[in-house]
Amino acid sequence: MVTRTKTLQLVFLNGKAKKVNLTVQNVADDLDSETVKTAMTTIAQADAFAKEGVDLYQVPQSASYVERVVTNLFDNSAAESKQSAAGGSIRANH
């Protein structure tokens, strides 16, 4: 089974001039650069996000769509959870 996801990664400089990322999921995949720049500027001007007294998203730097493809080879998690619920255990012999 193949799972594809697309996120928007926003990169800002924080109040100490260090890069910080903000990743947005479930985003429209047809945003243009001006729309994203405007949104990032709004986030920066809001001064709503700080950690330990440092503004997190102070200066917009860049934005990128990031696509991720996951191909599952197998998934026994359903069987393992049923076995755990029944009191069984899974052990590997070496």
Side-chain angles (χ1 to χ4, degrees):
M1 177 181 192
V2 176
T3 306
R4 296 177 187 273
T5 58
K6 191 172 195 177
T7 58
L8 181 62
Q9 183 177 20
L10 308 176
V11 180
F12 293 85
L13 292 181
N14 68 10
K16 292 186 174 182
K18 296 193 179 206
K19 287 185 179 182
V20 292
N21 297 325
L22 176 61
T23 301
V24 183
Q25 298 179 350
N26 302 317
V27 66
D29 63 357
D30 59 351
L31 299 173
D32 61 58
S33 62
E34 286 306 313
T35 300
V36 175
K37 284 180 188 177
T38 300
M40 291 178 74
T41 300
T42 300
I43 291 168
Q45 291 174 347
D47 285 330
F49 304 97
K51 183 175 181 180
E52 298 174 5
V54 177
D55 289 334
L56 291 179
Y57 310 118
Q58 195 169 59
V59 180
Q61 289 293 292
S62 65
S64 304
Y65 279 114
V66 178
E67 295 184 57
R68 181 172 180 238
V69 178
V70 176
T71 304
N72 282 337
L73 299 177
F74 70 93
D75 185 354
N76 286 337
S77 59
E80 290 172 7
S81 62
K82 284 181 185 177
Q83 191 171 13
S84 294
S89 63
I90 298 173
R91 290 182 25 191
N93 293 326
H94 296 279

